[in-house]
Amino acid sequence: MKNVPTLDIRRYDSDRDAFVAELGAAYREFGFCCISGHSIPRELIDGSYDVFQRFFALPAETKMRYHVPGSGGARGYTPFKVETAKDSKFADLKEFWHIGRELPRDSKFADVMAPNLWPAEVPEFHRYGYGLYKALDQLGTRVLRALALHIDLPEHYFEDKTDQGNSILRPIHYPPIAEENIPNVRAGAHEDINFITLLVGASAEGLEVLTREGEWLPITTEGDAIVVNIGDMLQRLTNHVYPSTTHRVVNPQNANARKPRYSVPFFLHPNPDVVLDPLPQCVTPDNPKRYDTPITSHEYLQQRLREIKLI
């Protein structure tokens, strides 16, 4: 049985060439890798999960005060059974919150990146939520350096293309499943939209990745490892050298289905004006250019949000 590897990112400093080669191989094969040794404090991760769980435990009418109709859920609260995986008949069994980048309001991207909302009922939500946002943003930048080197780009190639990215931290609550034989999975089979996704500390099993052989491979992490996967924007930019792999969250076939599941992915996005044309380094006779129509990351995001019924 193949497994998605776990690699220690500290080797980027101590054993760079081998680390970059192993990381690149993992992404070419699976579109996924688990990253350990990232030095994000346990206290920050645990504190974040605590405040997110406290928010989701609030009464529905309280949570709905932070729902912004017509915004595509870009900030604040999105209730159950709204988001629907592309081409899926059933809405996902989850509610979630979105934290975005804090931009100066005179930024050229302020019109597409709204200010954050913070629930007054959970006072530490801002400190932990934005603290985790910044920590995962920094870790994502480090992963992108290795990914750049693997495809013969300069180490810092991605940095001025993601430093004002429309990135999102999404605390998710999947409720306990009470009925038997419900048709919905917790999150339908899908690919992520963005550059890379960093998933910290999923509290129960359920995440599965579709392998090239067409089999569903469960992913569970050990220790401090964070799951990092490729999204469709980076797949497009790298002309599918880095594949965006289908994944889903299934209902556990054991007592864990009767427990709530919490998950906190960070969706790292490029800046809204980045054009997602295949990079020349990723176009070869064996891998001819797959996309001819230029599209910016903001245009691409809007197109995809319509498909998953968020706008």
Side-chain angles (χ1 to χ4, degrees), residues 8-230:
D8 189 327
I9 198 166
R10 290 171 295 195
R11 291 177 52 217
Y12 185 77
D13 297 317
S14 62
D15 187 19
R16 180 163 301 178
D17 290 351
F19 175 80
V20 167
E22 289 170 39
L23 188 80
Y27 282 118
R28 285 172 184 258
E29 169 74 20
F30 295 106
F32 272 75
C33 189
C34 302
I35 301 292
S36 64
H38 49 71
S39 74
I40 296 176
R42 188 79 244 170
E43 188 272 335
L44 176 57
I45 294 171
D46 291 346
S48 299
Y49 266 86
D50 175 60
V51 296
F52 300 152
Q53 289 178 23
R54 279 157 51 200
F55 172 77
F56 289 126
L58 293 170
E61 58 271 23
T62 305
K63 291 186 284 192
M64 285 302 287
R65 285 183 212 144
Y66 299 100
H67 177 55
V68 186
S71 70
R75 299 291 182 268
Y77 176 67
T78 296
F80 290 115
K81 293 190 178 181
V82 172
E83 185 173 350
T84 305
K86 185 182 172 188
D87 303 326
S88 175
K89 294 196 288 286
F90 301 105
D92 289 344
L93 298 175
K94 64 187 181 192
E95 58 179 339
F96 55 88
W97 182 278
H98 274 176
I99 298 169
R101 188 176 302 283
E102 307 224 307
L103 283 179
R105 294 333 289 168
D106 59 358
S107 161
K108 65 178 176 177
F109 299 130
D111 58 330
V112 296
M113 289 159 67
N116 279 311
L117 300 176
W118 302 109
E121 296 78 4
V122 186
E124 304 93 343
F125 196 103
H126 178 265
R127 176 166 73 92
Y128 279 107
Y130 205 64
L132 187 60
Y133 182 105
K134 289 190 292 187
L136 290 169
D137 197 31
Q138 289 162 4
L139 177 60
T141 296
R142 292 166 66 195
V143 173
L144 285 171
R145 287 175 191 161
L147 288 174
L149 290 174
H150 182 69
I151 52 173
D152 300 322
L153 293 169
E155 177 187 13
H156 298 285
Y157 177 82
F158 289 111
E159 275 158 61
D160 64 352
K161 298 165 187 66
T162 55
D163 58 349
Q164 297 179 76
N166 194 3
S167 302
I168 293 289
L169 185 73
R170 175 191 275 191
I172 306 172
H173 169 223
Y174 302 95
I177 292 165
E179 308 104 68
E180 299 295 327
N181 304 320
I182 56 170
N184 319 48
V185 290
R186 280 175 157 168
H190 65 284
E191 298 81 45
D192 291 345
I193 298 171
N194 41 297
F195 254 14
I196 58 174
T197 302
L198 297 89
L199 177 66
V200 59
S203 64
E205 76 268 44
L207 178 62
E208 296 185 343
V209 177
L210 190 62
T211 66
R212 288 170 186 249
E213 293 74 35
E215 294 168 356
W216 287 105
L217 179 68
I219 291 194
T220 48
T221 58
E222 293 181 6
D224 71 343
I226 288 175
V227 179
V228 184
N229 64 281
I230 306 293

Side-chain angles (χ1 to χ4, degrees), residues 256-269:
N256 285 338
R258 305 282 178 269
K259 297 176 186 171
R261 182 180 193 272
Y262 298 93
S263 173
V264 185
F266 177 76
F267 300 110
L268 191 151
H269 279 258

Side-chain angles (χ1 to χ4, degrees), residues 251-297:
N251 309 323
Q253 299 300 306
N254 56 32
N256 285 338
R258 305 282 178 269
K259 297 176 186 171
R261 182 180 193 272
Y262 298 93
S263 173
V264 185
F266 177 76
F267 300 110
L268 191 151
H269 279 258
N271 300 354
D273 58 357
V274 168
V275 178
L276 302 172
D277 276 356
L279 295 161
Q281 290 83 349
C282 298
V283 178
T284 63
D286 293 340
N287 187 29
K289 189 175 177 185
R290 296 166 189 252
Y291 301 97
D292 292 319
T293 312
I295 188 168
T296 67
S297 70

